[in-house]
Amino acid sequence: MSAAIALSGRRKLSPGEIEMILAAHERFISGRPGGKLAALRFIDFTGANLAGRNLQDADLSSSIFDSANLYGADLSRANLFGCDLRKADLRRANLSRADLRGACLRGADLSEADLTQADFRVGQVAVPHPSKGLTSLIHHQRSGDLDHAKLNGANLDGSQLEDVSAFATDFTDCSLRGAKLNRANLKDANLEGAIMEWADVSGANLEGARLVDAVLTGVEIRTARISGANLEGCLNAPSQAAIDMAEALQQKALANQSWCKTGGREGTPANFDGLDLRPLDHRLRGLRMSVMSAKGAVLVGMDLTGTHLQGANLENADMRGICLRGADLRGAKLAGAKLTKADLREAILGPLPLSADRVNRGDLHHAKLRYVKAQGADLTGAILDEADVRGCNFAGAMMRGASIRGADMSLALGLEPAGA
C-alpha cells in the first residue's frame, strides 16, 4: 500500500485505497467472501467523503476526520479512540456504543445521531511526534471535546460523558436518559427540551446553560453548578400527590376499558385532564382507552404500546418520548400536543368512522412532532397543519389525504411536500 505521510503525521491514503479497504470491510460485516475487518489507525481522512458507509466495529483510532463527510455512516461499536473529528458532518450517523474516549468533536454536526451508550471519557491519546512522525509517539491524557458541537435531536441515552467538555454545545431536544455527565463542562450549553431522565450531573458545570422545558425526572440538579442557568418550565419528578393517585387513576383506566368492552353498559370514559399520569408508567399499555380525555396531561416517557385510543382527547398533552408504537389513535385529538422524540411507528392516526357519511380525522394541528419515529404509521387524512415535524421520520408512512399546510418540515424524512 502506497501511503503518503500528511503534515499531521498520519498516513494519507488515496481514494482508491480507501474504497478498497472499506469494500473489504463491508464484505466482512455482511459475512461475504473476501472480507476483512478494517484497521485504519493513524490515518488522515481530512475532508474525506464517507457518507453512508458501513464502518461498524472498525478500528479508526487516532485518525483525523477534520471536516469529513460521515452523514448517515454506521460507526456502531467503532474504535474512535483519540480521533480528531472536529467540524465533521456526522448527522444521522450511528455511533451507538462507539469508543470516543479522548476524541475531539469540536464544532462537529451530530444532529439526530445515535450515540446510545457511546463512551466519551478521558483517554490516553497517542500523538505522532511533530518531526519523527509515527516512529515516536507522544502520549497524553485528553477529555472528550464537544465544544460548540450540534447534537440537536441526537440520542445519547446511557452515554458516558464524564469530564467531557461541551461548552456552548447545542443539545436541543436530545435524549440523555441515564447519561453520565459527572464533572462535565456544560457551561452555556443549550439543553432546551432535552430529555434527561435519571442523568447523573454531579459536579457538572451548568452555569449559564439553557434548560428551558428540559425533562429532569430523577436528576439531582442541586449536585451541579447552576449559577445563571435558565430552568424555566423544567419537568421534574411526579409529586407525591400524583404518586398517591396512581391506584385511583388505574381504576379509572380499567373502568374506561369496561365501558369499551360492554358498549357503554358498564364503566365510564376516563377523564385525566391536567393530571400527571407518569406514575402509571406502563400500566395503560394495550388497554382500551377509547374516547378518554387527557387534555393538558403529562405522559412523558410512558409506554402505551398497542393502546386503543380511538377518539381520545389529548390536546396540549405533554407526551415527549412516549411510546405509542402500534397504538390505535384513529380520530384522536392531538392538537398542540408535545410529541418530541415520541415513537409512533406503525401507529394508526387515520380517520375514525362515526356513521355512513361522517368521520373524525386524526387532528395533530400545531402539534410538536420533532424527531418523531413515524415509520410505517397510518396518517391517512390526518390534519398536520402548522405542526412542527422537523427531523421526523415518515419513511413508509401512509399520508394519502393528509393536510400539512404551514407545517415546518425541515429535515423531515419520507414526507413529500404534497403530503399525499
Side-chain angles (χ1 to χ4, degrees), residues 131-145:
S131 58
K132 298 177 183 179
L134 295 171
T135 59
S136 181
L137 298 176
I138 302 168
H139 293 83
H140 66 272
Q141 278 201 335
R142 189 168 76 188
S143 300
D145 186 347

Side-chain angles (χ1 to χ4, degrees), residues 89-400:
D89 184 353
L90 286 153
R91 290 173 297 156
R92 292 183 170 139
N94 183 356
L95 290 145
S96 56
R97 288 186 283 166
D99 186 348
L100 287 153
R101 286 175 295 163
C104 178
L105 292 121
R106 186 177 301 178
D109 192 343
L110 293 136
S111 302
E112 300 180 67
D114 185 355
L115 293 146
T116 306
Q117 295 181 19
D119 190 350
F120 290 89
R121 290 175 298 169
V122 174
Q124 187 81 14
V125 179
V127 180
H129 190 277
S131 58
K132 298 177 183 179
L134 295 171
T135 59
S136 181
L137 298 176
I138 302 168
H139 293 83
H140 66 272
Q141 278 201 335
R142 189 168 76 188
S143 300
D145 186 347
L146 283 164
D147 291 349
H148 299 284
K150 297 178 183 176
L151 288 126
N152 43 301
N155 189 346
L156 290 136
D157 293 347
S159 56
Q160 294 176 278
L161 292 148
E162 295 100 320
D163 299 295
V164 77
S165 183
F167 171 74
T169 299
D170 187 357
F171 291 99
T172 306
D173 291 327
C174 75
S175 184
L176 284 153
R177 288 189 177 104
K180 303 294 183 185
L181 290 155
N182 319 59
R183 302 173 303 281
N185 178 20
L186 295 157
K187 182 176 172 59
D188 295 338
N190 187 355
L191 289 145
E192 183 171 354
I195 300 173
M196 300 177 66
E197 293 172 310
W198 305 106
D200 188 349
V201 297
S202 54
N205 182 0
L206 284 161
E207 294 176 350
R210 182 174 174 82
L211 289 131
V212 174
D213 291 329
V215 178
L216 299 177
T217 307
V219 178
E220 294 293 338
I221 196 71
R222 291 172 295 180
T223 63
R225 291 153 56 189
I226 56 173
S227 175
N230 188 342
L231 296 159
E232 183 182 349
C234 283
L235 184 64
N236 296 304
S239 66
Q240 188 59 50
I243 294 169
D244 292 342
M245 287 178 65
E247 188 57 39
L249 296 180
Q250 174 74 359
Q251 293 307 311
K252 276 190 175 185
L254 294 174
N256 196 124
Q257 175 158 269
S258 295
W259 183 85
C260 293
K261 285 184 174 181
T262 64
R265 292 189 302 275
E266 297 177 17
T268 184
N271 188 317
F272 299 126
D273 291 352
L275 298 179
D276 189 344
L277 302 180
R278 289 178 293 164
L280 288 175
D281 196 15
H282 60 277
R283 284 186 273 177
L284 298 183
R285 178 174 176 163
L287 292 185
R288 298 181 66 174
M289 300 298 298
S290 300
V291 306
M292 79 156 184
S293 184
K295 293 184 291 184
V298 179
L299 298 95
V300 171
M302 291 181 65
D303 184 357
L304 271 68
T305 303
T307 303
H308 296 256
L309 291 159
Q310 302 97 320
N313 191 339
L314 293 152
E315 292 176 347
N316 300 310
D318 191 346
M319 304 169 73
R320 288 174 289 170
I322 195 171
C323 183
L324 286 161
R325 188 166 188 174
D328 190 341
L329 289 144
R330 285 176 294 165
K333 298 175 182 177
L334 290 151
K338 296 178 182 177
L339 286 151
T340 302
K341 294 196 81 70
D343 188 347
L344 291 170
R345 286 176 290 178
E346 293 92 41
I348 306 169
L349 294 113
L352 177 67
L354 300 177
S355 64
D357 57 354
R358 286 182 61 225
V359 296
N360 270 355
R361 297 167 69 185
D363 188 355
L364 291 140
H365 81 271
H366 285 293
K368 292 180 175 65
L369 294 151
R370 294 192 294 271
Y371 311 113
V372 164
K373 296 176 184 176
Q375 298 98 309
D378 184 354
L379 287 149
T380 303
I383 301 167
L384 291 155
D385 298 343
E386 307 293 335
D388 186 349
V389 295
R390 284 176 286 170
C392 185
N393 191 341
F394 290 100
M398 290 177 276
M399 303 290 295
R400 186 177 300 278

Side-chain angles (χ1 to χ4, degrees), residues 70-82:
L70 290 152
Y71 179 95
D74 187 350
L75 291 152
S76 53
R77 301 180 304 279
N79 183 0
L80 292 158
F81 186 100

